Structures are given as structure tokens and as C-alpha cells.
Amino acid sequence: MNAIVLSGIWGVVMMFAGLFLKSSKQIQWTALLGIIALLVVSILDYQAHSVQAQTYFGMMTIDVYTSWFSILITACCAMYLLIFHKDIAAVGKNEAEYFALIFFVMCGVYLLASYSNLLILFLGIEILSIPQYILAGSDKENIKSNEASLKYFLMGAFSTGLLLMGMTLIYGATGSFDITSEKFVGQFEQLSSMSSLSFVGILLLLISFGFKVSAAPLHLWTPDVYDGSPTAFTPFMATIVKVSVFVAFIRLFHFSFGNVSDAWQIAIASMIVLTLIIGNVTAVYQQSLKRMMAYSSIAQAGFMLFSIFAVNSTLAYKGILLYSVVYSLASIGVFAVIIKMKDYTYDGFNGLAKKQPVLAFTATVCLLSLVGIPLTGGFFAKYFVLSAVVEQGKYIWIVVFAVLMAAISAYYYFRVIRSMYFKTGEAAMHTEPTTWDKTLLILNAMIILLLGVLPSLVFG
Amino acid sequence: MQKDGLEAIIMEICNPIIYHFLRSLKNNSQTITIFELQALFLRHFKKMPSQYYLFLSLALFCIGVMGVLMRRNAIIILMCIELMLNAVNLLLVTFSKMYNDPNAQLFVFFIMVVAAAEVSIGLAIIVMMYRKVHSIDVHILNRLKN
């Protein structure tokens, strides 16, 4: 798995780049070079590992699924860096360090994609989280950024404690950290033979997972953190980090705890219901678009939880892959427009369609994809995760409920489109988009539309 | 060592230190060497079932969780998080001994390293916050909202 090594090394390279390269442009180009190299290396990894392979003393399992996910998530990160690299450099003085931290987060993402030992899961989650605490507080002069950073740190460290306790209790019940070992698999063969330690362990893991993906009732930090962090980093936290935590836990819950799904499915079901209600209803009342996107990311996490909820279904894996890519690209597209604006409220977007037709069009495509309108990728993403639950045959009512909630979400997404197209006003820009920005945004929108027609492209 | 009925009960219920303390109060002729004491400790703790450690570390963990949820001072919250992590460490060592498996003790080292990294970041964030608002009370954050 060369991508893990390269992402770690490139993080260090970026830190040295801050020391030796004088101009900001050169640092940005180094970062872009790094992410392209990462993409190439992960594609090479994919070709090399056509069969399942164990590396790092059996602590990591690399198969087609994990290396394909690595490619997709690296591509999303490349899109993010290409669109936002100027804004990242503009956050503060230490631009090289921001890029370095992003590369360290990518290292954590690769670990999470291919762990087969609870130790690596723990390390991956920590490597993923710790750089984010710094990124959230990187706008040091802004008190909201400081607040976001402290809040994120306290919540994140607390959930790490719960995660570790869960892992320890599961170790106490099984006697092994290796999720593929016989002892581990034997413990979770059937519900009646499970010890009470593993029940509590699974529950604690679930709580910690809820914290990391901001599922209700553990979502309370999310709006403040996403709103307070610099706008350049919010899409990174809301998309790439969140979906990789999902992919990590789907492995654990399906492969290891799949046979004892009766023990935890009801907990996930209540999490889904709460997340969908709280995320969607609260998003309706927001005035700031950035805060609305924070609540919308909570609501979308509710939909992604369906893929964990539907056990032993191939549709669930397809669903989470497609949902990861489509949701990441759509959120990145919306944030790319938000960051160009001076005023983040709905009124600030009035009349954007006349002034910047390209930006308004790409934002519309992304918002439609977030709602799940047919012909955009979001439709098939929602379709796959929901039909995985239908295929499972239990808890059908929750699907009906989710569709109703998607209808509520249409209200606040369409409100942005109405502001842009049907209201008159002076949409004041913070920075004027260049032709390069517009090209990338159109490319982003085209990928979303293409996935709406040919969703099988992301299944590999 | 001769033990009458009462002393045997004390030996069973209390820990060896109290036992020896009582012995020395009675001014018995026997002197206690450090090796004897150590042997007594080991004998005693080998008999101690691992549930005791489980309950101890769960209690420590719960104290940590309550501290995080109830205290307002950011540094005390950080200390409570450390308490949670150390409870986990204790439990891991217990299980390691129970299963004769060194992997869990390795896990403890990883937890220590990560906790050190986390604390260094956390203290830096708290200092940054203090410079702005001259307080490390986390309730002040609620007043900043919007």
C-alpha cells in the first residue's frame, strides 16, 4: 500500500516546502503535484492488488474494494484541492502547513480504508482527527474559528475515549484485536453466545462512530464547528473525512458484527430517524447558507447510515461508494460557490444568476444532486442505499420516512435556487472567479450529471 | 509464619500492608523483609480476580465521563479525558495478563503516544482561546454562538 507511505512523506515534504519555497504559488503547485502523485500511486496499487492481500504483519487487508475506494476518495480530494487551493493559501500565513495537514489526513483515510486490526482502526481515526482540530482553528484571529477548534477538540477527544473503551471491552470478550481471526469471528457468530462485554463494546463503538459522522443525538458540535471553521476547510471535513469514517465502520459492522445485527440494528434505526428529523427540520430555519450546509451534512449522514443499517447486502456497498462520491462532489461544488460570496445569507445570493451564470448553474446542479432529483448522481445514491434496506425486508417504514424527509430537504435547497434565479439583488462577490475556477466547477457539475446517467462508473 | 483464625481472615479480606501493620502493632518477634512483603503482595494479587480490575477501571472511566460532561474548566475536561484513557490502559493490561497476550500491552503504548499528541494539540488550542477571551470556561462558548 504505497499510497499510505506517500501521503505521509508528502506531508513532511509540504512542511519543508514552507521552509524553502518563498512564493505561495510554488507551495500550492507542490501540493497539487502531491495529490496527483497520490492519485497515480493509488491507481497503481489498485492494479497490483487484484486479489486480497495482507500486509504490515497481517494488520491490514487490501482487496479490490478498499483500493478502489482509495482511488475514489483521492480523486475527490484532488477535486477539492484543485478548486480550493487558493482559498486554503489565503486562510493564514502558514499555507504550507495547511496542505501538510491535509496530506496527513489522507494518510488516515487510507489506513481506515484497509484496516483489519482494531489498532489500525484507532490509529486511523486519530490520524484523521488530530489534524482537523488544527485546521478548524487555523484562522487564529477569528474567535469563531477558535471556538470551533476547541469544541471539536473536546468532543473528538471524548469520543476517542469511548471508542477505546469499546475496543477494549470487545478485546476482553474475544481475546484478539484482529477482526479476521477465528477468536474474533467466533464471538460474533450468533447472538446467544455473545458475552455481555461485547454488547457494551459494540454500543460504545456505535456512540463514538455517531460522534465522528455527526449523527443525532451526537451531532451538537457539528453546526458550530462547520460554521466556525474557515470556509476553505469546511467542505474537507464535511465530505472526505466523513465518508471515510463511514467506509471504515461499514467494514466493522458488516464483516464482523453482521451476524449479530439484531443487537445493534435498532440503535442505528433510532439514530437514522433522529438524524433525519433534526438535520432536515433545523436546516429549514437557518439564515446562513454555510450553517444550512452544516445541517444538510447531518441530514445526508442520516441517509448514509442506511448503508450500515442494511446488513449483508451488496447494494449497500454500491450505495455507500456512490453516495460518498456524489455527496462529496456536490458539497464541494456548493461550498466553492459559497466561498466566492461576500454575504453567506440567502439574501446575499439574490441575483447571482444574472451576475455569474456559470456559478449559479453549477450550484444548482449540486443542490439538485443533494436533493436527489433524477438525472443527477444524488438520485441513484439515495436509490441504492434505500433499496438495500428494502431488499433486507425488515424496517420498511423507515424507507418511507426517509423519502418524506428528502421532500423536506427539497425546501431549503430550492430556496437557494430561488434566491439565485428568481430574486433581484446585488450578489456581492468576495473574489471574482477566474476562467480556471469556472472550468473546474463545470467539470464537477458534469461528473455529477454523468453519474446520474451512468452510476455504474463508480463501482469499478 | 503462624496464622491464627483472626489473622487468616484479615489476610483474606484486607490487603497485606494492613496485615503487616497489625502484626507489627502486636510487636511480634518476626522482622519483615521487603522480599517477604513483595511475596505477600504477589500472592495476594494473583488471587485477586480480574473482575475487580474491570470494575475499578469502569469506575475510573465513568468518573472521567462525568467529569467531561459536568465540569466547565477546559483543562479539567482535558484531565478527565486522560482519566478515561488511563482507565482503558489499566483494563488492557488486565486483559493482557488474563489472556497471556502481549498485543494488548502494545496497544497501551500506542494509546499513550496518541494521547500525548492529542494533549499537545489541545493545550495549544486552549492557550489560543485564552489569549482571545481570557477565560478557559467552556460555557463562554455558548455565549459566542451566532
Side-chain angles (χ1 to χ4, degrees), chain A residues 327-371:
Chain A
Y327 163 70
S328 299
L329 291 180
S331 284
I332 288 171
V334 176
F335 273 107
V337 177
I338 293 178
I339 200 169
K340 296 272 184 275
M341 309 301 292
K342 197 168 242 166
D343 183 7
Y344 289 169
T345 58
Y346 283 100
D347 293 338
F349 281 72
N350 286 353
L352 184 70
K354 282 217 180 63
K355 211 171 168 192
Q356 295 285 352
V358 178
L359 258 61
F361 170 72
T362 55
T364 308
V365 171
C366 294
L367 288 167
L368 291 178
S369 169
L370 287 174
V371 184

Short mmCIF file of all heavy atoms in Angstrom, two decimals, chain A residues 327-371:
data_model
loop_
_atom_site.label_atom_id
_atom_site.label_comp_id
_atom_site.label_asym_id
_atom_site.label_seq_id
_atom_site.Cartn_x
_atom_site.Cartn_y
_atom_site.Cartn_z
N TYR A 327 -21.98 12.77 -2.96
CA TYR A 327 -22.17 13.75 -1.89
C TYR A 327 -20.93 14.62 -1.74
O TYR A 327 -21.03 15.84 -1.56
CB TYR A 327 -22.48 13.01 -0.59
CG TYR A 327 -22.29 13.83 0.65
CD1 TYR A 327 -23.16 14.87 0.94
CD2 TYR A 327 -21.25 13.58 1.52
CE1 TYR A 327 -22.98 15.63 2.07
CE2 TYR A 327 -21.07 14.34 2.64
CZ TYR A 327 -21.92 15.37 2.91
OH TYR A 327 -21.74 16.13 4.03
N SER A 328 -19.73 14.01 -1.86
CA SER A 328 -18.51 14.81 -1.74
C SER A 328 -18.45 15.86 -2.83
O SER A 328 -18.23 17.05 -2.56
CB SER A 328 -17.28 13.92 -1.83
OG SER A 328 -17.27 12.99 -0.81
N LEU A 329 -18.66 15.42 -4.08
CA LEU A 329 -18.54 16.37 -5.19
C LEU A 329 -19.60 17.46 -5.09
O LEU A 329 -19.31 18.65 -5.31
CB LEU A 329 -18.66 15.63 -6.52
CG LEU A 329 -17.50 14.70 -6.86
CD1 LEU A 329 -17.74 14.04 -8.19
CD2 LEU A 329 -16.20 15.46 -6.89
N ALA A 330 -20.83 17.08 -4.72
CA ALA A 330 -21.89 18.09 -4.67
C ALA A 330 -21.62 19.10 -3.57
O ALA A 330 -21.76 20.32 -3.79
CB ALA A 330 -23.24 17.40 -4.45
N SER A 331 -21.19 18.64 -2.39
CA SER A 331 -20.91 19.58 -1.31
C SER A 331 -19.74 20.48 -1.67
O SER A 331 -19.78 21.68 -1.40
CB SER A 331 -20.56 18.83 -0.03
OG SER A 331 -21.72 18.32 0.53
N ILE A 332 -18.72 19.90 -2.28
CA ILE A 332 -17.58 20.72 -2.68
C ILE A 332 -18.03 21.78 -3.68
O ILE A 332 -17.63 22.95 -3.59
CB ILE A 332 -16.48 19.81 -3.27
CG1 ILE A 332 -15.81 19.01 -2.16
CG2 ILE A 332 -15.42 20.64 -3.99
CD1 ILE A 332 -14.88 17.94 -2.66
N GLY A 333 -18.91 21.40 -4.59
CA GLY A 333 -19.41 22.36 -5.58
C GLY A 333 -20.18 23.50 -4.94
O GLY A 333 -20.01 24.66 -5.31
N VAL A 334 -21.02 23.17 -3.95
CA VAL A 334 -21.80 24.24 -3.30
C VAL A 334 -20.87 25.15 -2.50
O VAL A 334 -20.98 26.38 -2.57
CB VAL A 334 -22.89 23.64 -2.40
CG1 VAL A 334 -23.62 24.74 -1.66
CG2 VAL A 334 -23.87 22.84 -3.21
N PHE A 335 -19.94 24.55 -1.75
CA PHE A 335 -19.04 25.37 -0.95
C PHE A 335 -18.14 26.24 -1.83
O PHE A 335 -17.75 27.33 -1.44
CB PHE A 335 -18.20 24.50 -0.03
CG PHE A 335 -18.87 24.21 1.28
CD1 PHE A 335 -19.38 22.97 1.54
CD2 PHE A 335 -18.99 25.20 2.23
CE1 PHE A 335 -20.01 22.70 2.74
CE2 PHE A 335 -19.61 24.94 3.44
CZ PHE A 335 -20.12 23.68 3.69
N ALA A 336 -17.80 25.73 -3.03
CA ALA A 336 -16.97 26.52 -3.93
C ALA A 336 -17.67 27.79 -4.34
O ALA A 336 -17.03 28.83 -4.58
CB ALA A 336 -16.62 25.70 -5.16
N VAL A 337 -19.01 27.75 -4.42
CA VAL A 337 -19.74 28.98 -4.73
C VAL A 337 -19.88 29.85 -3.49
O VAL A 337 -19.70 31.07 -3.56
CB VAL A 337 -21.13 28.63 -5.32
CG1 VAL A 337 -21.92 29.88 -5.57
CG2 VAL A 337 -20.95 27.84 -6.60
N ILE A 338 -20.14 29.20 -2.33
CA ILE A 338 -20.31 29.98 -1.09
C ILE A 338 -19.06 30.80 -0.80
O ILE A 338 -19.14 31.97 -0.42
CB ILE A 338 -20.61 29.03 0.09
CG1 ILE A 338 -21.97 28.37 -0.06
CG2 ILE A 338 -20.59 29.80 1.40
CD1 ILE A 338 -22.31 27.40 1.03
N ILE A 339 -17.88 30.19 -1.00
CA ILE A 339 -16.65 30.87 -0.60
C ILE A 339 -16.38 32.09 -1.48
O ILE A 339 -15.65 33.00 -1.09
CB ILE A 339 -15.48 29.88 -0.61
CG1 ILE A 339 -14.34 30.38 0.25
CG2 ILE A 339 -15.00 29.61 -2.02
CD1 ILE A 339 -13.29 29.37 0.49
N LYS A 340 -16.99 32.14 -2.66
CA LYS A 340 -16.79 33.30 -3.53
C LYS A 340 -17.66 34.48 -3.12
O LYS A 340 -17.47 35.59 -3.62
CB LYS A 340 -17.12 32.91 -4.98
CG LYS A 340 -16.21 31.85 -5.55
CD LYS A 340 -14.99 32.47 -6.17
CE LYS A 340 -14.12 31.45 -6.82
NZ LYS A 340 -13.20 30.80 -5.84
N MET A 341 -18.65 34.23 -2.25
CA MET A 341 -19.59 35.29 -1.93
C MET A 341 -19.11 36.11 -0.73
O MET A 341 -18.36 35.62 0.12
CB MET A 341 -20.97 34.70 -1.58
CG MET A 341 -21.50 33.74 -2.59
SD MET A 341 -21.69 34.45 -4.21
CE MET A 341 -23.01 35.59 -3.90
N LYS A 342 -19.59 37.34 -0.67
CA LYS A 342 -19.26 38.19 0.47
C LYS A 342 -20.19 37.89 1.64
O LYS A 342 -19.78 37.80 2.78
CB LYS A 342 -19.38 39.65 0.05
CG LYS A 342 -18.69 40.61 0.99
CD LYS A 342 -18.61 41.97 0.38
CE LYS A 342 -17.16 42.40 0.19
NZ LYS A 342 -17.02 43.55 -0.68
N ASP A 343 -21.48 37.73 1.32
CA ASP A 343 -22.51 37.57 2.34
C ASP A 343 -23.04 36.13 2.25
O ASP A 343 -23.49 35.71 1.19
CB ASP A 343 -23.63 38.59 2.07
CG ASP A 343 -24.69 38.53 3.13
OD1 ASP A 343 -24.48 37.81 4.13
OD2 ASP A 343 -25.72 39.21 2.97
N TYR A 344 -22.94 35.40 3.39
CA TYR A 344 -23.33 33.99 3.34
C TYR A 344 -24.83 33.76 3.55
O TYR A 344 -25.28 32.63 3.54
CB TYR A 344 -22.57 33.19 4.40
CG TYR A 344 -21.10 33.00 4.11
CD1 TYR A 344 -20.25 32.50 5.07
CD2 TYR A 344 -20.58 33.32 2.87
CE1 TYR A 344 -18.90 32.32 4.82
CE2 TYR A 344 -19.23 33.16 2.60
CZ TYR A 344 -18.40 32.66 3.58
OH TYR A 344 -17.07 32.49 3.31
N THR A 345 -25.62 34.83 3.76
CA THR A 345 -27.05 34.61 3.97
C THR A 345 -27.73 34.36 2.62
O THR A 345 -27.15 34.56 1.56
CB THR A 345 -27.71 35.82 4.63
OG1 THR A 345 -27.46 36.94 3.79
CG2 THR A 345 -27.14 36.06 6.00
N TYR A 346 -29.01 33.93 2.71
CA TYR A 346 -29.75 33.68 1.46
C TYR A 346 -29.85 34.95 0.63
O TYR A 346 -29.76 34.92 -0.60
CB TYR A 346 -31.15 33.16 1.78
CG TYR A 346 -31.20 31.72 2.20
CD1 TYR A 346 -31.30 31.37 3.54
CD2 TYR A 346 -31.16 30.71 1.25
CE1 TYR A 346 -31.34 30.05 3.92
CE2 TYR A 346 -31.20 29.38 1.64
CZ TYR A 346 -31.29 29.05 2.97
OH TYR A 346 -31.33 27.74 3.36
N ASP A 347 -30.04 36.08 1.32
CA ASP A 347 -30.19 37.34 0.58
C ASP A 347 -28.92 37.69 -0.18
O ASP A 347 -28.97 38.37 -1.20
CB ASP A 347 -30.54 38.47 1.56
CG ASP A 347 -31.93 38.27 2.14
OD1 ASP A 347 -32.72 37.55 1.50
OD2 ASP A 347 -32.20 38.82 3.23
N GLY A 348 -27.79 37.24 0.34
CA GLY A 348 -26.54 37.51 -0.34
C GLY A 348 -26.46 36.85 -1.70
O GLY A 348 -25.65 37.25 -2.54
N PHE A 349 -27.29 35.84 -1.93
CA PHE A 349 -27.25 35.13 -3.20
C PHE A 349 -28.25 35.68 -4.21
O PHE A 349 -28.33 35.19 -5.33
CB PHE A 349 -27.54 33.64 -2.98
CG PHE A 349 -26.35 32.89 -2.47
CD1 PHE A 349 -25.91 33.05 -1.19
CD2 PHE A 349 -25.66 32.02 -3.30
CE1 PHE A 349 -24.81 32.37 -0.72
CE2 PHE A 349 -24.56 31.33 -2.85
CZ PHE A 349 -24.14 31.52 -1.55
N ASN A 350 -29.04 36.69 -3.80
CA ASN A 350 -30.06 37.23 -4.70
C ASN A 350 -29.43 37.74 -5.98
O ASN A 350 -28.49 38.53 -5.97
CB ASN A 350 -30.80 38.38 -4.01
CG ASN A 350 -31.75 37.87 -2.96
OD1 ASN A 350 -31.94 36.66 -2.84
ND2 ASN A 350 -32.31 38.77 -2.19
N GLY A 351 -29.95 37.28 -7.11
CA GLY A 351 -29.50 37.78 -8.39
C GLY A 351 -28.16 37.25 -8.84
O GLY A 351 -27.51 37.84 -9.71
N LEU A 352 -27.72 36.14 -8.29
CA LEU A 352 -26.42 35.60 -8.70
C LEU A 352 -26.46 35.09 -10.13
O LEU A 352 -25.47 35.17 -10.86
CB LEU A 352 -26.01 34.46 -7.75
CG LEU A 352 -24.62 33.88 -8.00
CD1 LEU A 352 -23.55 34.87 -7.63
CD2 LEU A 352 -24.41 32.60 -7.22
N ALA A 353 -27.64 34.60 -10.56
CA ALA A 353 -27.74 34.00 -11.89
C ALA A 353 -27.46 35.03 -12.99
O ALA A 353 -26.88 34.70 -14.03
CB ALA A 353 -29.13 33.41 -12.09
N LYS A 354 -27.84 36.30 -12.76
CA LYS A 354 -27.58 37.32 -13.78
C LYS A 354 -26.11 37.70 -13.80
O LYS A 354 -25.52 37.92 -14.84
CB LYS A 354 -28.42 38.57 -13.47
CG LYS A 354 -29.85 38.42 -13.86
CD LYS A 354 -30.41 39.73 -14.41
CE LYS A 354 -31.85 39.59 -14.80
NZ LYS A 354 -32.71 39.26 -13.62
N LYS A 355 -25.53 37.77 -12.59
CA LYS A 355 -24.17 38.26 -12.49
C LYS A 355 -23.15 37.19 -12.86
O LYS A 355 -22.20 37.46 -13.60
CB LYS A 355 -23.92 38.72 -11.04
CG LYS A 355 -22.94 39.87 -10.96
CD LYS A 355 -22.91 40.40 -9.55
CE LYS A 355 -21.73 41.33 -9.38
NZ LYS A 355 -21.51 41.62 -7.98
N GLN A 356 -23.34 35.98 -12.34
CA GLN A 356 -22.39 34.88 -12.58
C GLN A 356 -23.18 33.65 -13.01
O GLN A 356 -23.43 32.75 -12.20
CB GLN A 356 -21.61 34.56 -11.30
CG GLN A 356 -20.71 35.65 -10.80
CD GLN A 356 -19.45 35.80 -11.64
OE1 GLN A 356 -19.18 34.98 -12.52
NE2 GLN A 356 -18.70 36.85 -11.39
N PRO A 357 -23.59 33.56 -14.26
CA PRO A 357 -24.46 32.45 -14.67
C PRO A 357 -23.80 31.09 -14.47
O PRO A 357 -24.48 30.12 -14.12
CB PRO A 357 -24.74 32.72 -16.14
CG PRO A 357 -23.79 33.76 -16.55
CD PRO A 357 -23.36 34.51 -15.34
N VAL A 358 -22.47 31.02 -14.65
CA VAL A 358 -21.81 29.71 -14.52
C VAL A 358 -21.88 29.22 -13.08
O VAL A 358 -22.22 28.06 -12.81
CB VAL A 358 -20.34 29.82 -14.99
CG1 VAL A 358 -19.64 28.51 -14.81
CG2 VAL A 358 -20.29 30.25 -16.43
N LEU A 359 -21.55 30.13 -12.15
CA LEU A 359 -21.59 29.73 -10.74
C LEU A 359 -22.99 29.31 -10.33
O LEU A 359 -23.17 28.29 -9.64
CB LEU A 359 -21.13 30.90 -9.86
CG LEU A 359 -19.71 30.82 -9.33
CD1 LEU A 359 -18.74 30.78 -10.49
CD2 LEU A 359 -19.40 31.99 -8.43
N ALA A 360 -23.99 30.07 -10.76
CA ALA A 360 -25.36 29.75 -10.38
C ALA A 360 -25.75 28.40 -10.96
O ALA A 360 -26.38 27.59 -10.27
CB ALA A 360 -26.30 30.83 -10.88
N PHE A 361 -25.34 28.12 -12.20
CA PHE A 361 -25.70 26.84 -12.82
C PHE A 361 -25.06 25.67 -12.09
O PHE A 361 -25.75 24.69 -11.75
CB PHE A 361 -25.28 26.84 -14.30
CG PHE A 361 -25.40 25.50 -14.93
CD1 PHE A 361 -26.65 24.97 -15.22
CD2 PHE A 361 -24.28 24.74 -15.22
CE1 PHE A 361 -26.77 23.72 -15.79
CE2 PHE A 361 -24.38 23.48 -15.78
CZ PHE A 361 -25.64 22.98 -16.07
N THR A 362 -23.76 25.77 -11.82
CA THR A 362 -23.11 24.63 -11.16
C THR A 362 -23.66 24.43 -9.75
O THR A 362 -23.87 23.28 -9.32
CB THR A 362 -21.59 24.84 -11.08
OG1 THR A 362 -21.33 26.06 -10.43
CG2 THR A 362 -20.97 24.82 -12.44
N ALA A 363 -23.94 25.53 -9.05
CA ALA A 363 -24.52 25.39 -7.71
C ALA A 363 -25.87 24.71 -7.81
O ALA A 363 -26.21 23.86 -6.97
CB ALA A 363 -24.65 26.75 -7.05
N THR A 364 -26.65 25.04 -8.84
CA THR A 364 -27.96 24.43 -8.99
C THR A 364 -27.85 22.93 -9.20
O THR A 364 -28.58 22.15 -8.58
CB THR A 364 -28.70 25.06 -10.19
OG1 THR A 364 -28.67 26.46 -10.01
CG2 THR A 364 -30.12 24.58 -10.27
N VAL A 365 -26.91 22.52 -10.07
CA VAL A 365 -26.73 21.08 -10.31
C VAL A 365 -26.36 20.37 -9.00
O VAL A 365 -26.93 19.33 -8.66
CB VAL A 365 -25.64 20.86 -11.38
CG1 VAL A 365 -25.30 19.38 -11.47
CG2 VAL A 365 -26.10 21.36 -12.71
N CYS A 366 -25.43 20.99 -8.24
CA CYS A 366 -25.01 20.35 -7.00
C CYS A 366 -26.15 20.27 -6.01
O CYS A 366 -26.35 19.25 -5.34
CB CYS A 366 -23.85 21.12 -6.38
SG CYS A 366 -22.37 21.05 -7.37
N LEU A 367 -26.95 21.34 -5.90
CA LEU A 367 -28.06 21.34 -4.95
C LEU A 367 -29.10 20.31 -5.35
O LEU A 367 -29.64 19.58 -4.51
CB LEU A 367 -28.69 22.73 -4.87
CG LEU A 367 -27.84 23.77 -4.15
CD1 LEU A 367 -28.37 25.15 -4.40
CD2 LEU A 367 -27.82 23.50 -2.66
N LEU A 368 -29.38 20.21 -6.68
CA LEU A 368 -30.35 19.20 -7.13
C LEU A 368 -29.85 17.80 -6.81
O LEU A 368 -30.64 16.93 -6.43
CB LEU A 368 -30.59 19.33 -8.64
CG LEU A 368 -31.34 20.58 -9.09
CD1 LEU A 368 -31.46 20.60 -10.59
CD2 LEU A 368 -32.71 20.63 -8.46
N SER A 369 -28.54 17.62 -6.92
CA SER A 369 -27.99 16.31 -6.60
C SER A 369 -28.13 16.01 -5.11
O SER A 369 -28.41 14.87 -4.71
CB SER A 369 -26.52 16.26 -7.00
OG SER A 369 -25.93 15.12 -6.48
N LEU A 370 -27.98 17.05 -4.26
CA LEU A 370 -28.15 16.83 -2.82
C LEU A 370 -29.60 16.48 -2.49
O LEU A 370 -29.87 15.69 -1.59
CB LEU A 370 -27.72 18.08 -2.04
CG LEU A 370 -26.22 18.31 -1.97
CD1 LEU A 370 -25.92 19.64 -1.30
CD2 LEU A 370 -25.53 17.20 -1.21
N VAL A 371 -30.55 17.08 -3.23
CA VAL A 371 -31.96 16.71 -3.00
C VAL A 371 -32.20 15.28 -3.46
O VAL A 371 -32.93 14.53 -2.82
CB VAL A 371 -32.91 17.65 -3.77
CG1 VAL A 371 -34.35 17.33 -3.45
CG2 VAL A 371 -32.63 19.08 -3.46
#
